[in-house]
Amino acid sequence: EPSERRTAEILSALGFRSGWDRPDIVVTCAETEAVVALAEVKYFASSEGDGKDAVRAAIDQLVRYARGYRPEDEWDDLLTHSLVVP
């Protein structure tokens, strides 16, 4: 879609990634500026729940976010160093 392509071009020129999927924390290497870890934080406050749904949602998001930072064959390396915080 032309407007999405133009938005991506402007964001890229400003040094931003396009898309709405963004992890809560992105850790980069100071020397190479490569992304080395992601973190996703989920709040839950339920006396009935044990937080498992929050953890599931955060893991689902981390795997989805990995797509924007690494090729598929490098997801495991990134996700191994990433963190879910319920």
Side-chain angles (χ1 to χ4, degrees):
E1 207 272 316
S3 66
E4 291 174 356
R5 190 170 45 250
R6 185 65 181 137
T7 298
E9 290 168 358
I10 293 168
L11 289 171
S12 178
L14 295 171
F16 291 99
R17 291 184 178 275
S18 61
W20 302 107
D21 288 341
R22 294 182 320 269
D24 292 321
I25 297 171
V26 177
V27 180
T28 60
C29 174
E31 292 177 11
T32 66
E33 297 185 7
V35 173
V36 295
L38 306 173
E40 183 63 23
V41 180
K42 290 292 178 202
Y43 175 79
F44 89 97
S46 172
S47 59
E48 297 173 15
D50 58 5
K52 289 182 180 177
D53 287 340
V55 172
R56 283 187 192 96
I59 290 170
D60 179 60
Q61 285 181 284
L62 277 180
V63 173
R64 190 173 60 237
Y65 297 154
R67 298 182 307 192
Y69 294 95
R70 298 272 182 93
E72 185 176 357
D73 62 340
E74 296 179 21
W75 289 354
D76 287 345
D77 180 57
L78 179 60
L79 293 169
T80 297
H81 296 97
S82 296
L83 181 66
V84 167
V85 182

